[in-house]
Amino acid sequence: MYKKQLGANMINTFENKLTIHFKNDYDVEYINIDLLDSEIEEFFYVISKDYLLDRNETMTDFDPKKVNMSVEYHLGMFEKGQETKLKEIIEKFDFIQSYNIVLTKLEKENDEKIEIEISKLDSLFQRMDEIIKIKNGIDSLKDLSFREGIDKYNELTQQFSEYKEKLEKNIISLRMSDLKKEVEGINDIIQEYAKVLNKEIKFNVEGLDINIDKLVFSKIKKHIIDLLFNSLIYGIETKQERQMYEKEINGNLNLKFRQEFNEIVIEISDDGRGIDVDYIYMRALKSGLLKLDKNYTNEEILSSIFHPEMSSTNEIEENKERDLSVTIFYNIIKSLNGDIKVETEKNKFTKYVVRIPLDFIVIKGQTIRINNKYFVIPKDIIVKELDVDQSRITYHFQTNFYRYHSKEYPIIMIPSYITGRPEEMYLQSKKILMLTISNVEYVIFVDYIESVEEMLVRKIEDNNKLYEIFLGNVLLNNESTALVFNMKKILEINDWR
């Protein structure tokens, strides 16, 4: 009721931040938060609401049946008598310990929030319980004999390693988008819009099994849909046009995801009219983005569509929104330190290629050892494992090769400043991994091939150029730290690409 009355004339510069603290000894099931919500919403304008976990709660004291939290309401400006009304509401509920109100400047919507499934939080609580059991087990060691203590310690160490892996996977899952679910929703929107436009389309999707950060995807999802709409409206031809160009009656909209080392690559394309590069060139000249006395490649001309100046040169008023949507998407990608390019051929296709670097990635990694140092190679580029036969090593064109089944494979040389081993010693290694990188096969020499694990790779926060050849570092199940090779960068420091 109050929300409707106040909505139109609300002063949106300031807000009242109301924090309500619950009594810690109350069981969750006895707290009627719905009734509290309805009372607050009846008499106050609620901008937003957040639940805050008690940061002072220790692992030992944690009890999932207890409240362990407070609730924070962001309310509009109070009118006369409302503070008294708030006090009356609070006094109705005996599960409230205390409350406080702070007048603050209205904050912008926080785009760093993600939705989390309750079931995943339950899994985290279960992991916490397991870690508490280990802590209690460690406390009990003092009551055991030396031999019993050693056995118990080894058992607890093994359990901790297993729980750590489970906890890490739980935390990873909280941050990962369910692309299959997200794209199902996008498909429904696209198909409905195609019906409105009386166009027959096939929506082709690939790569839904990759891991992409929810925060990243939440920032780009709307703009991916905008580009697909643009393709549907302006790219895909009518049935009559497609027949004239001897195309399938059904137009194709394509959305592809893939992970290339530390980047997410997204391709959005259609098999429609394409973009008229000459038309874009004339508009870019008119806007001042390009100069008449210079020569430009098609890629340079097409890149001008991402600039806001281009919308002012569009003679069709309703198409300016399309131009601005492309510009906004470009700015979002740049804010994520990414890049976007467009490829096209008239009456054939248009394709946007988006690349976004990741602060952390999840990979299935093959752990290896070189000179007793742990390294990791992404498992998906490994073709096979071989034992080294020194007689098969050859050298020509200033490059080392390994001959296998009548074919010679370039040997990837890992610099001695990384391995701590000179080149001639590196080639004395016992094992070989055959890799495929950008459709070219190579081999790498290693001392030992160890386990394969699903790993959370964290970015190395160090500007030292020595770390440029690594995707990041990982903590292995044996508690050792390993560096993850960026094989593209490794190739760049060899004499060939």
Side-chain angles (χ1 to χ4, degrees):
M1 178 183 74
Y2 189 82
K3 188 172 184 177
K4 292 178 182 177
Q5 291 174 351
L6 185 62
N9 58 13
M10 181 185 125
I11 300 172
N12 56 16
T13 306
F14 293 91
E15 66 175 3
N16 285 291
K17 186 158 65 176
L18 167 65
T19 306
I20 296 176
H21 304 278
F22 301 135
K23 293 178 180 177
N24 286 336
D25 57 351
Y26 253 72
D27 284 0
V28 173
E29 61 182 299
Y30 297 125
I31 291 185
N32 193 339
I33 191 67
D34 291 335
L35 183 57
L36 176 62
D37 278 346
S38 65
E39 290 269 2
I40 296 290
E41 290 175 3
E42 177 74 15
F43 297 99
F44 300 90
Y45 179 82
V46 180
I47 299 168
S48 64
K49 179 180 70 174
D50 296 307
Y51 291 101
L52 308 174
L53 289 174
D54 187 348
R55 293 174 183 245
N56 296 320
E57 194 77 36
T58 64
M59 293 288 289
T60 307
D61 298 331
F62 178 78
D63 183 348
K65 293 182 180 179
K66 302 299 181 183
V67 182
N68 308 306
M69 67 173 60
S70 56
V71 62
E72 186 176 88
Y73 293 93
H74 298 259
L75 308 176
M77 294 295 289
F78 284 175
E79 292 187 354
K80 187 177 179 180
Q82 281 196 289
E83 286 195 43
T84 303
K85 185 63 185 177
L86 177 61
K87 186 178 179 182
E88 291 173 2
I89 292 173
I90 297 296
E91 289 175 348
K92 288 182 182 180
F93 300 95
D94 59 1
F95 54 78
I96 294 177
Q97 177 74 40
S98 61
Y99 74 99
N100 63 284
I101 306 169
V102 179
L103 183 65
T104 63
K105 199 150 189 168
L106 189 62
E107 297 177 355
K108 291 181 180 178
E109 185 178 353
N110 185 357
D111 61 358
E112 297 295 309
K113 292 181 181 178
I114 56 175
E115 292 183 1
I116 295 174
E117 296 175 19
I118 295 298
S119 61
K120 292 184 177 180
L121 282 179
D122 290 342
S123 296
L124 275 183
F125 289 145
Q126 184 180 347
R127 299 289 87 82
M128 291 178 185
D129 288 342
E130 291 166 348
I131 291 172
I132 290 170
K133 288 177 184 176
I134 292 177
K135 177 187 176 300
N136 293 336
I138 292 172
D139 290 341
S140 70
L141 289 178
K142 63 180 181 295
D143 300 323
L144 302 177
S145 67
F146 178 77
R147 173 50 56 191
E148 290 174 331
I150 291 293
D151 293 342
K152 185 65 175 178
Y153 176 79
N154 290 335
E155 179 189 335
L156 291 171
T157 301
Q158 178 64 30
Q159 286 179 4
F160 181 78
S161 180
E162 292 172 2
Y163 294 159
K164 179 195 75 71
E165 183 180 4
K166 290 178 183 177
L167 183 60
E168 192 169 73
K169 286 181 178 179
N170 285 145
I171 293 171
I172 290 169
S173 71
L174 294 179
R175 286 290 296 268
M176 294 298 112
S177 271
D178 183 345
L179 278 183
K180 290 181 182 177
K181 186 176 178 181
E182 295 283 4
V183 170
E184 279 177 11
I186 293 174
N187 178 56
D188 292 342
I189 295 169
I190 295 300
Q191 295 294 350
E192 284 298 318
Y193 203 59
K195 289 178 185 176
V196 172
L197 296 173
N198 195 29
K199 292 185 178 182
E200 297 288 336
I201 64 158
K202 288 189 289 186
F203 185 41
N204 309 301
V205 182
E206 294 180 18
L208 297 184
D209 56 341
I210 71 164
N211 292 302
I212 182 168
D213 190 344
K214 281 183 179 178
L215 285 176
V216 172
F217 194 72
S218 66
K219 291 179 180 179
I220 63 175
K221 178 181 175 181
K222 174 185 178 299
H223 306 288
I224 288 174
I225 295 172
D226 285 344
L227 282 189
L228 289 168
F229 276 174
N230 288 346
S231 292
L232 190 55
I233 299 167
Y234 307 104
I236 301 296
E237 308 94 335
T238 63
K239 295 175 185 178
Q240 293 77 13
E241 285 179 282
R242 293 186 71 82
Q243 286 176 328
M244 184 173 65
Y245 290 113
E246 298 182 345
K247 293 183 178 182
E248 293 179 5
I249 295 298
N250 290 339
N252 285 283
L253 284 181
N254 308 299
L255 177 59
K256 298 180 181 179
F257 300 88
R258 67 178 185 273
Q259 184 172 321
E260 291 185 0
F261 300 98
N262 63 332
E263 289 184 328
I264 290 293
V265 182
I266 305 170
E267 293 183 2
I268 304 142
S269 63
D270 65 70
D271 66 346
R273 298 184 179 99
I275 298 174
D276 187 335
V277 179
D278 291 335
Y279 174 62
I280 296 298
Y281 174 67
M282 295 305 296
R283 286 178 56 197
L285 287 177
K286 186 177 179 181
S287 70
L289 290 170
L290 301 182
K291 304 296 181 185
L292 190 59
D293 58 350
K294 289 187 178 181
N295 294 323
Y296 299 94
T297 64
N298 277 1
E299 183 178 331
E300 289 170 329
I301 294 170
L302 287 169
S303 67
S304 64
I305 70 172
F306 301 117
H307 292 267
E309 294 89 340
M310 288 292 281
S311 65
S312 64
T313 65
N314 201 320
E315 296 171 356
I316 304 173
E317 190 65 32
E318 55 266 31
N319 288 355
K320 289 183 177 181
E321 185 176 345
R322 174 198 62 187
D323 294 345
L324 287 173
S325 71
V326 173
T327 299
I328 291 169
F329 190 33
Y330 173 81
N331 291 335
I332 292 287
I333 298 304
K334 285 299 181 182
S335 73
L336 295 169
N337 298 316
D339 190 34
I340 179 171
K341 292 183 178 178
V342 60
E343 304 167 13
T344 191
E345 186 176 340
K346 196 170 182 180
N347 296 322
K348 295 285 186 181
F349 74 94
T350 298
K351 178 165 69 176
Y352 293 89
V353 181
V354 178
R355 292 181 175 273
I356 303 172
L358 301 174
D359 288 331
F360 70 89
I361 58 175
V362 181
I363 65 167
K364 185 167 281 189
Q366 172 69 67
T367 307
I368 61 172
R369 270 195 288 155
I370 303 174
N371 198 23
N372 286 323
K373 296 180 179 180
Y374 285 103
F375 299 98
V376 171
I377 296 175
K379 185 72 171 74
D380 61 354
I381 67 171
I382 298 174
V383 179
K384 63 175 63 179
E385 304 173 8
L386 301 169
D387 292 321
V388 173
D389 180 348
Q390 291 291 323
S391 67
R392 294 179 180 273
I393 299 175
T394 62
Y395 182 82
H396 47 90
F397 304 116
Q398 298 184 323
T399 302
N400 292 295
F401 291 87
Y402 190 82
R403 193 173 66 257
Y404 180 71
H405 286 179
S406 304
K407 183 178 176 181
E408 290 192 323
Y409 298 88
I411 299 174
I412 296 175
M413 303 301 295
I414 307 299
S416 59
Y417 63 80
I418 297 297
T419 64
R421 174 182 288 174
E423 180 177 310
E424 60 273 15
M425 293 295 294
Y426 171 74
L427 293 174
Q428 297 295 317
S429 301
K430 302 174 183 178
K431 295 284 186 179
I432 284 176
L433 287 175
M434 188 176 292
L435 315 175
T436 298
I437 306 170
S438 300
N439 298 318
V440 180
E441 291 182 317
Y442 305 89
V443 295
I444 184 171
F445 280 50
V446 304
D447 292 333
Y448 299 99
I449 299 171
E450 311 247 341
S451 61
V452 175
E453 302 173 23
E454 188 171 59
M455 303 171 177
L456 174 64
V457 184
R458 297 172 179 84
K459 186 177 179 180
I460 300 172
E461 299 297 337
D462 193 317
N463 293 326
N464 192 323
K465 289 195 173 183
L466 293 178
Y467 290 113
E468 287 183 352
I469 64 169
F470 299 109
L471 294 176
N473 58 24
V474 298
L475 183 64
L476 303 175
N477 282 342
N478 65 7
E479 306 304 320
S480 300
T481 300
L483 293 166
V484 184
F485 284 130
N486 183 337
M487 299 311 299
K488 279 189 175 180
K489 293 290 185 181
I490 293 285
L491 293 185
E492 289 175 8
I493 62 174
N494 282 261
D495 293 334
W496 24 258
R497 299 291 184 264

